[in-house]
Amino acid sequence: MKVLKFGGSSVGSVESISRLMKILKDIDSLEERPIIVLSAMQGVTNLLSKMAEGAAVGINFASDLTALENLHFNVVKQLIAVRGQNPVYTQLKIYLNELEDLLQGVFTLQELSLQTKDRILSYGERCSVLLVSHVAAQYFPDTMVVDASDLIKTDSSFGNARVKALESGNLIRAFRENNPGKMFFVTGFIGSNAAGKITTLGRGGSDYTAAIFGAALDAEQVEIWTDVDGMLTADPRIVKKAFSLPILSYTEAMELSYFGAKVIYPPTMMPAFLKDIPIIIKNSFNPAFAGTVIQRDSGHSIFPIKGISSIDRVSILNLSGSGMIGKAGFSGKLFTLLAQNSINVILITQSSSEHSITFAVHPEDALQAKRIIESEFELEIAAEKINVPELEENLSVLAIVGEKMKQTPGISGKLFYAMGRNGINVRAIAQGSSEYNISVIISHTDLSKALNAVHDAFFSVLKTTLHVFCLGTGNISSTLFNQIQKQHLFLQENNDIELKMIGMSNSRKMYFDVDGIDLGNWKDTLEGEGEKADLESFISRMKDFNLPNCVLLDNTASEAPVRFYEDVFSSNISLVTCNKLANSGKYERYRSLRECARKHGVDFFYETNVGAGLPIVRTLKDLMTSGDQIISIEAILSGTISYIFNNYHGDKTFYEVVKTAQELGFTEPDPRDDLKGSDFMRKFLILARDSGLILEPEDVQLENILPDNCLNASSVDDFYAELKASEDHFKALKDKAAAENKAIRYIGKLENGKVNISLALVDSNHPFFTLSGSDNIISFTTERYFHRPLVVKGPGAGAEVTAAGVFAELVNVGHNA
Ligand code: ASP
Ligand code: MG
């Protein structure tokens, strides 16, 4: 036999009740009639509570009463055939009149006891059971209304009564035996005390009613029909990737439902646990969902934890002082005191020095708790043996839950890594010795970020979501956006990474979308819906989103974003950039940026500063971290200059070659920016610094390729004219090279702590002799790569390869998350 409980939303409307009938048709059999436990219609308990409390302070309840009447009458009108309607209207009317009398009493006395309130609330369940059972009677034989207040006996704690399990069990069994073959429709939520006064089992208590009936009658299972897909790994309103859990143990379900997830009322687990009856949470709005099964065994799962729960708001009180050390019974006294005052303690931690105890309470209890402690320990506080309790507010609890944690090391490490990397400060920690639950207290503003980051960390078979903010929408960015869009699925499937572009800005416009900007249409979106760009507010908006696994992408070539880098790191946001300016300015800035990124545990990736997508920075870093020593580095890092000399060997003049290079997009708008070597200098400076040298830009010796007349020309056009006129200068160089069978190369060299970039003629034995197109080449001579250097060679410029390099680094940030 099954017990089925339907919550408020499952009996909340004409549609819901019709759906409920379909569910019953699949279940009912004449051999084993099910037991149906119902909540009040959705919103009714709240409304009754509001009416009662309002009446007690003189607020008129007439219009609410009418609304209540309409709500129920409407169901009768629509779901019960006309000839059957009258008796239901009559009984409803009786209930509503009784309710009105009660409310009128409260109104007149301006006084509402918990006992009266329970009686008022009981009408919610009594009305819904009356309605639904009459609707059902049209389709099923032998339906029967059961008022649970006759069968569930409780103590007299009105509002949250304690059930007398034995006595209730006997009554329920006897009742069932006296009414064989009937389909019961039972009021959830209510019971009665020894004197027969109506009590309630606590808000959400209909679940509990179902379990009590299930346990009393040894049901094969208890089904809780609600409006969500069972229990989830986290609150789906905050964690979009939360998913339904197939199996939980009673303990896990209890731990998860105490905090946050209001899917099932925690006391429900107890009767089921004692009788080993599985509870299955089903969704009346999605019958295809198989359900979350709550049972003794926690089942197999590939994940180390079952779920993450949270309490939105708590306050903590911190009690410290020498007077507590080694004093047996101190905490006993403290917590007894709190219990006597009905203050619920959510979590406790005590340092092993016994010098302090921290505990969390609901915010509405916090001040009272503080005052009680202050007055109870008045003498100790005056004698400075105990400090005045400190109250901290606006905090939240996040807890990871799962029985498997017990056998798996590294769980807390993972939890704290995810928190730390995202800059979430942990104020207090508690792990139950059961090891089913590790709870941390964090600032409320960090809760959503923490839930998402921790969810990503533990359910890593799911995608890690990287939240990306991009500065610059030029060539590199637009190529990158294309690549990301094309690789979207590949990334998710092969790297378990999902990239979401949350914000982008160029110098004119900026645009944000927390759900991710559609990269297939970013141009129109930015142009059409973007607001006026402002770098400072872009950065502060990015920080305000407070998203986990967040990366700033600086694809500009501008100095402006650089001054925000440290601020970005300090906000625990990683940075990926092809902008060389930060690393090639003053050494002090180079140093402090790294220190700042390290301190905050975030990534600072800039592979594309040198040689576009070629693995140069990474290779150097690998050599260094594995303890190799750099002896020298030789490199050609200007794709532009390579191209020019590679094409200046035949009949074309130097002028013509440069012109073509410009036309092919290989040069800066003013080709002198390349030919002067300053771009090369920046790249090489970064390499030199990464190899451990402390160097300023002025320390790099830079040979100028251009004669003075070209260098000093006042415009690009003049420059070209001068270049044309200087052909002899270049031809002499070319002829010399040809005569010696050598190639002209512009080479950077680091040796003995010095960096020098100059023109050189290299012979065919030199590794740089054969270099084609706009290739870059870097050769590292190290202690390990001594006789034959380690050489990296390939295309070192171009949007496609640079964007690919940036892309790879984004993925790496994701892997570090
Ligand atoms: N109707 C009651 C409440 O809203 C009991 C329940 O729905 O479980 O708390
Ligand atoms: Mg409920």
Side-chain angles (χ1 to χ4, degrees):
M1 182 262 305
K2 286 182 183 174
V3 178
L4 280 72
K5 178 259 169 176
F6 293 89
S9 54
S10 307
V11 293
S13 64
V14 168
E15 295 74 39
S16 300
I17 297 174
S18 315
R19 218 174 284 128
L20 197 159
M21 291 303 137
K22 285 209 194 78
I23 296 169
L24 293 186
K25 270 181 200 136
D26 289 341
I27 293 242
D28 186 38
S29 76
L30 288 180
E31 300 86 65
E32 284 251 71
R33 311 295 312 267
I35 291 176
I36 323 296
V37 177
L38 301 175
S39 289
M41 288 179 79
Q42 190 161 35
V44 167
T45 310
N46 283 342
L47 183 63
L48 288 167
S49 169
K50 187 190 117 194
M51 287 156 81
E53 272 155 28
V57 293
I59 298 171
N60 189 294
F61 51 84
S63 64
D64 284 338
L65 201 60
T66 313
L68 212 56
E69 181 174 299
N70 290 339
L71 180 74
H72 291 94
F73 277 24
N74 184 40
V75 176
V76 181
K77 198 160 78 200
Q78 300 208 40
L79 292 180
I80 296 178
V82 179
R83 60 192 148 74
Q85 286 178 357
N86 263 339
V88 191
Y89 280 135
T90 311
Q91 183 58 50
L92 270 177
K93 239 349 204 190
I94 293 173
Y95 281 155
L96 290 167
N97 286 340
E98 285 171 13
L99 178 61
E100 186 176 3
D101 289 347
L102 279 169
L103 287 166
Q104 190 55 52
V106 173
F107 187 87
T108 313
L109 294 170
Q110 305 256 317
E111 193 181 278
L112 176 67
S113 66
L114 287 174
Q115 177 176 339
T116 306
K117 190 170 173 192
D118 274 1
R119 215 165 131 201
I120 291 173
L121 294 186
S122 74
Y123 285 93
E125 270 68 12
R126 293 201 270 173
C127 289
S128 75
V129 164
L130 172 73
L131 278 185
V132 176
S133 65
H134 274 90
V135 176
Q138 304 175 114
Y139 311 103
F140 304 96
D142 298 322
T143 59
M144 180 175 190
V145 169
V146 178
D147 190 328
S149 62
D150 296 335
L151 303 178
I152 294 183
K153 298 312 283 182
T154 71
D155 69 2
S156 298
S157 322
F158 295 98
N160 200 357
R162 193 178 285 267
V163 173
K164 297 182 172 159
L166 227 60
E167 195 182 339
S168 309
N170 289 336
L171 286 170
I172 292 169
R173 272 186 299 276
F175 187 83
R176 180 75 169 175
E177 274 156 31
N178 292 335
N179 296 282
K182 296 264 200 255
M183 187 176 189
F184 287 180
F185 285 83
V186 184
T187 54
F189 185 46
I190 60 176
S192 64
N193 68 3
K197 301 287 179 208
I198 287 188
T199 55
T200 60
L201 310 183
R203 291 304 306 271
S206 301
D207 297 344
Y208 193 19
T209 308
I212 294 165
F213 270 76
L217 300 172
D218 282 316
E220 97 207 33
Q221 65 189 49
V222 172
E223 295 183 359
I224 307 287
W225 287 79
T226 174
D227 54 3
V228 291
D229 281 346
M231 300 264 273
L232 282 83
T233 48
D235 184 342
R237 287 165 307 178
I238 305 177
V239 180
K240 291 278 177 304
K241 283 184 265 182
F243 57 91
S244 302
L245 290 159
I247 296 180
L248 287 167
S249 71
Y250 295 113
T251 322
E252 288 171 337
M254 192 106 91
E255 295 274 359
L256 276 176
S257 54
Y258 261 118
F259 285 3
K262 288 235 175 65
V263 180
I264 184 166
Y265 184 50
T268 309
M269 256 64 80
M270 213 18 140
F273 171 81
L274 291 174
K275 286 284 189 82
D276 232 333
I277 298 171
I279 300 173
I280 302 167
I281 304 179
K282 305 261 236 171
N283 186 354
S284 356
F285 297 79
N286 178 18
F289 170 66
T292 295
V293 179
I294 303 171
Q295 56 176 34
R296 185 158 300 253
D297 185 62
S298 92
H300 276 290
S301 161
I302 51 168
F303 302 112
I305 66 169
K306 275 291 169 64
I308 309 162
S309 65
S310 56
I311 307 180
D312 205 36
R313 290 202 187 258
V314 298
S315 298
I316 58 178
L317 273 157
N318 188 17
L319 209 59
S320 61
S322 56
M324 290 158 52
I325 301 175
K327 199 141 180 240
F330 179 85
S331 50
K333 186 169 165 194
L334 172 66
F335 293 114
T336 310
L337 188 65
L338 294 170
Q340 280 162 354
N341 287 279
S342 299
I343 291 171
N344 185 26
V345 176
I346 298 170
L347 169 160
I348 307 168
T349 69
Q350 177 172 25
S351 65
S352 58
S353 68
E354 299 181 39
H355 184 261
S356 73
I357 293 184
T358 300
F359 62 91
V361 294
H362 291 291
E364 56 275 18
D365 294 335
L367 269 181
Q368 196 202 351
K370 183 169 152 71
R371 270 191 224 113
I372 294 168
I373 295 168
E374 279 167 358
S375 74
E376 180 72 22
F377 297 102
E378 198 180 357
L379 293 178
E380 288 89 336
I381 293 173
E384 294 184 0
K385 289 216 144 75
I386 290 177
N387 303 319
V388 177
E390 292 162 66
L391 173 62
E392 278 188 77
E393 297 178 290
N394 297 321
L395 301 171
S396 297
V397 179
L398 176 153
I400 54 172
V401 169
E403 289 197 13
K404 204 172 152 190
M405 295 200 304
K406 208 167 19 186
Q407 307 94 317
T408 324
I411 303 280
S412 51
K414 210 178 192 116
L415 172 67
F416 294 117
Y417 178 77
M419 300 278 213
R421 187 165 158 94
N422 285 290
I424 297 156
N425 188 27
V426 175
R427 312 288 266 276
I429 306 166
Q431 173 172 16
S433 56
S434 62
E435 293 187 54
Y436 294 155
N437 171 322
I438 301 177
S439 301
V440 294
I441 292 190
I442 57 179
S443 156
H444 177 72
T445 48
D446 284 333
L447 181 60
S448 149
K449 174 166 152 179
L451 281 168
N452 281 286
V454 172
H455 199 272
D456 271 354
F458 280 100
F459 299 102
S460 58
V461 162
L462 300 177
K463 330 292 166 219
T464 297
T465 303
L466 271 190
H467 297 101
V468 185
F469 291 81
C470 181
L471 290 173
T473 59
N475 227 340
I476 293 175
S477 288
S478 48
T479 312
L480 173 72
F481 297 162
N482 261 336
Q483 292 177 352
I484 293 179
Q485 221 212 340
K486 278 201 207 117
Q487 298 298 316
H488 206 75
L489 282 178
F490 175 85
L491 262 185
Q492 297 207 12
E493 274 156 25
N494 295 284
N495 286 296
D496 301 322
I497 286 171
E498 178 193 29
L499 283 180
K500 269 194 187 168
M501 193 64 64
I502 309 296
M504 56 171 69
S505 176
N506 53 30
S507 53
R508 291 167 294 108
K509 293 244 162 136
M510 61 183 189
Y511 181 75
F512 301 91
D513 182 351
V514 239
D515 297 322
I517 301 168
D518 174 8
L519 290 180
N521 197 28
W522 67 270
K523 246 185 207 143
D524 291 345
T525 311
L526 182 63
E527 277 307 315
E529 294 170 47
E531 51 194 289
K532 196 174 165 319
D534 177 71
L535 183 57
E536 189 154 353
S537 81
F538 185 88
I539 301 286
S540 75
R541 294 270 284 281
M542 170 175 77
K543 294 188 331 197
D544 289 347
F545 277 112
N546 206 11
L547 294 166
N549 308 322
C550 189
V551 195
L552 175 66
L553 201 59
D554 177 7
N555 281 347
T556 71
S558 138
E559 183 66 40
V562 178
R563 73 191 158 94
F564 292 101
Y565 282 9
E566 293 212 7
D567 183 23
V568 168
F569 294 147
S570 307
S571 313
N572 288 81
I573 295 173
S574 291
L575 181 75
V576 172
T577 182
C578 57
N579 182 353
K580 310 174 188 60
L581 296 181
N583 284 326
S584 60
K586 286 245 159 294
Y587 181 80
E588 174 47 29
R589 181 166 77 184
Y590 169 91
R591 191 199 59 75
S592 74
L593 282 176
R594 272 152 191 74
E595 185 181 299
C596 186
R598 196 173 322 120
K599 191 163 125 198
H600 292 95
V602 291
D603 295 322
F604 174 28
F605 289 155
Y606 50 90
E607 178 64 80
T608 47
N609 279 192
V610 185
L614 294 179
I616 299 171
V617 171
R618 207 178 324 154
T619 303
L620 175 58
K621 189 167 164 221
D622 288 349
L623 290 173
M624 303 283 295
T625 50
S626 64
D628 204 350
Q629 292 285 332
I630 303 292
I631 295 170
S632 69
I633 303 176
E634 258 191 295
I636 291 178
L637 293 175
S638 168
T640 316
I641 302 179
S642 292
Y643 175 85
I644 291 169
F645 285 118
N646 279 333
N647 287 281
Y648 183 52
H649 44 56
D651 39 9
K652 280 204 253 167
T653 65
F654 195 73
Y655 158 81
E656 286 166 334
V657 176
V658 174
K659 196 84 188 161
T660 317
Q662 174 148 44
E663 279 156 18
L664 290 174
F666 284 142
T667 71
E668 297 292 317
D670 185 341
R672 282 175 293 185
D673 290 339
D674 299 300
L675 290 163
K676 270 192 303 202
S678 37
D679 189 54
F680 194 148
M681 184 282 287
R682 289 202 189 99
K683 296 176 189 166
F684 210 77
L685 179 64
I686 296 170
L687 273 188
R689 286 173 170 177
D690 279 4
S691 77
L693 291 185
I694 299 173
L695 282 180
E696 294 298 344
E698 314 72 88
D699 297 331
V700 179
Q701 289 174 24
L702 188 64
E703 184 187 345
N704 184 9
I705 299 178
L706 297 172
D708 285 351
N709 58 326
C710 299
L711 211 53
N712 299 332
S714 59
S715 68
V716 175
D717 285 344
D718 287 351
F719 158 73
Y720 273 116
E722 293 296 338
L723 199 61
K724 216 177 208 166
S726 307
E727 177 59 18
D728 285 351
H729 169 88
F730 296 105
K731 185 166 183 302
L733 188 64
K734 180 171 78 170
D735 290 346
K736 184 169 187 283
E740 295 176 19
N741 227 341
K742 289 181 176 169
I744 312 167
R745 296 288 181 245
Y746 192 48
I747 299 177
K749 200 161 183 168
L750 178 159
E751 212 167 23
N752 303 325
K754 295 235 160 6
V755 177
N756 165 335
I757 301 171
S758 57
L759 272 179
L761 298 180
V762 300
D763 65 24
S764 59
N765 289 326
H766 195 283
F768 293 4
F769 183 82
T770 49
L771 191 71
S772 49
S774 62
D775 276 6
N776 280 193
I777 186 164
I778 297 88
S779 130
F780 296 102
T781 305
T782 70
E783 275 180 359
R784 288 181 202 141
Y785 291 93
F786 189 70
H787 296 295
R788 280 165 44 75
L790 171 64
V791 175
V792 181
K793 178 177 159 182
E800 202 65 42
V801 286
T802 308
V806 170
F807 196 174
E809 296 205 305
L810 280 177
V811 174
N812 285 335
V813 174
H815 285 154
N816 288 346

